[in-house]
Amino acid sequence: MTTSRPLPTAPNLIELAIGGMTCASCANRIEKKLNRMDGVRATVNYATEKATVTYDDPVTPDELIDTVEKTGYRASVPPPPTPAAPTAAAEPVDELHALRTRLWVSVVLSVPVIALAMVPAWQFTYWQWLSLTLAAPVVVYGGLPFHRAALVNLRHGAATMDTLVSVGTLAALGWSLWALFLGSAGTPGMTHPFSFDISRTDGAGNIYLEAAAGVTTFILAGRYFEARSKRTAGAALRALLELGAKDVSVLRAGVETRIPVDQLAVGDRFVVRPGEKIATDGTVDEGSSAVDASMVTGESVPVEVGVGDTVVGGCVNAGGRLVVTATRVGADTQLAQMARLVEQAQTGKAAAQRLADRISGVFVPVVIALAVGALGWWLGSGAGPTAAFTAAVAVLIIACPCALGLATPTALLVGTGRGAQLGVLIKGPEALESTRRVDTVVLDKTGTVTTGRMALIDVTPGEGEQRAEVLRLAAALESGSEHPVARAVVAGAADTGGLPPVTGFANIEGLGVTGMVDGRQVLLGRPRLLRERGLVVPDELVRAATGAEAAGRTAVLVGWDGRARGLLAVADQVKPTSREAVRRLRTLGLTPVLLTGDNATVARTVAAEVGIDEVIAEVLPAEKVDVVARLQAEGRAVAMVGDGVNDAAALAQADLGLAMGTGTDVAIEASDLTLVRDDLLAAVDAIRLARSTLGTIKGNLFWAFAYNVAALPLAAAGLLNPMIAGAAMAFSSVFVVANSLRLRRFRPVS
């Protein structure tokens, strides 16, 4: 019995989790059934196994669920995602384990059956009975998912590839049983000669056990690899939710108490120590610090926050102790809103019809009709029931998609294996279809085009000062700080030798640091800090600071003994290969666009350095999704390359999402392709390899169907020797595998 649940977003919008779909035609059938209801508009996504439905009153969610269930599938309203629910994938994992067990049992039992049938020299006296003993469990137990799906389809007047597999394998097994028990196939010493002759036969001495077992195993293997790729369908949301803090030190009655973050309420005051994640969105009440928001906002430079400033849950406190008042908790936080953006972008993506299912929508009914027609014609011609059933079964057997079942998985396995060697991970066939048509590539800046780490770019000594001395004293002072700018300065001084010790180190809120180095009171920070402490800032250093900031760099002054002595410029560096990668992306017919949460000056500087003309800067995570959607609305097919949580929703929205493997789990799971190498040239290799793999899949599918179509007339005419059918099926499978293996010769451009 189904019970109503609260609607997830709006009174007339609901999202249903759909179970029991086995191919894209299942999604189409559910979608058609829902859309036939008055006032209902539905889209069903086979890849995410979800239906997004808008409906008018008086339709209720229970009626929508009932309609799906009457169509032969399962439907439910999924519970809202919470940080405590990362184990929600237990059921899919169990289903995958059961499918893997079914596959291995089928493989072990099928291999000897196929070997005995195809090698006459191995056919000992009672080989056919051993084949029956081994093949029957494969067809019945291994093929159970196909038989179940075919039965559901039959009850609802539909036919899919499951129908063809089920009917073909059961027909082959049934005919083999007839031939063994009632025909001459069970005679001791009977053999199947391996012959290429095409001649009429009554079929009484023919068994098709190798076809029944082989088809079941091959198609089961394809189904397993598909299920494994879909296992991580919800991982993006789980990874996003897990990004937040798990517990928090809340201040109640002046006492710190550690509680789970889901118990935090609006108005609670909580403590965030250096290195800890901020538990939820809030306002700073006490303290000051640098907050690393790059994982959420994409801002490469940590943001200085103080009393009255707002902070976002999931960001990392990189500096001092903060006391924050919670302003938004749970589903209202920015992190939770980003989770919803990822989910909506994934659900709204067009359902990628698998190529085999597109063709099978016509192919399956035609084959079944042809088999029935052959049976009727032979019966009507007076040839007898044995010849008639032989022709009908031959049609079903030759049409059973053995090579078709291998077409996509083998190309994917070889393509993804080669991709893994080159630092490219391909999620599945759905990801490949977009690679041919993308014409625009949107590149996130921080961590994708640039390293995502601050580095010392330049040291400008004042008049009469030595560069090495300025850097030595500045690095010594900064060695007492954990600020990213400080780490960049210290790293930049690594070649100067040992640094002198620092005493009296102090952090000055939002301005800089000070301390005693070699008996000198050294200050480092913004010009305002030095002027407030009475130090003279020469005009040449002011001009140098202005020029550095105009170039998108962060400039800090260092001074002692009443005067500014030098300027240090730090910035997020462009990766060495980014310019070449942009050039190669253009050769693939793609227009690059730089998209970032950083300020426009920094973005334009980076874009000019790597050769990008179109720049979109200072955008929030939600706006990144809007930018991708706007480009799509202009008629562009968009690929997106990113690495942060702030990119996840845009990666899911894009026609093709590519995530840098050095980025967050959220970005990786929301993408279609993952670039393991921290190198933008990998994006070029990824698109080239994906296009090659898609081309191989299409070629495999064409030849798999071509073999069947060419042999169907022979089978219907009763001229197809059973061993010819077996040989044709085996050869088509070998051809498909050999064609897929060509992908191993793919060479990267990098």
Side-chain angles (χ1 to χ4, degrees), residues 236-237 240 337-347 625 645 648-650 652-653 666 670:
L237 293 178
L240 187 54
Q337 290 169 0
M338 290 172 65
R340 284 198 293 274
L341 283 172
V342 174
E343 187 171 30
Q344 289 167 6
Q346 287 181 333
T347 303
V625 180
V645 173
Q653 172 67 34
V666 182

Side-chain angles (χ1 to χ4, degrees), residues 662-747:
T662 52
T664 66
D665 289 343
V666 182
I668 291 170
E669 293 298 344
S671 68
D672 301 303
L673 306 177
T674 300
L675 313 178
V676 177
R677 289 158 34 215
D678 188 20
D679 183 348
L680 193 56
L681 278 173
V684 180
D685 291 336
I687 293 174
R688 289 179 58 244
L689 178 60
R691 288 178 175 178
S692 296
T693 305
L694 178 63
T696 301
I697 289 174
K698 287 184 174 181
N700 285 349
L701 290 170
F702 171 79
W703 286 110
F705 275 109
Y707 280 115
N708 290 338
V709 171
L712 277 174
L714 294 176
L719 298 175
L720 191 63
N721 184 290
M723 292 310 297
I724 293 288
M729 289 175 60
F731 181 71
S732 65
S733 300
V734 170
F735 178 86
V736 162
V737 173
N739 191 43
S740 298
L741 289 175
R742 291 188 306 111
L743 288 168
R744 293 193 300 182
R745 298 199 295 268
F746 178 87
R747 292 290 178 265

Side-chain angles (χ1 to χ4, degrees), residues 15 43-45 48 50-52 342-351:
E15 185 179 82
T43 58
V44 180
N45 192 319
T48 60
K50 290 180 180 178
T52 303
V342 174
E343 187 171 30
Q344 289 167 6
Q346 287 181 333
T347 303
K349 187 181 289 186

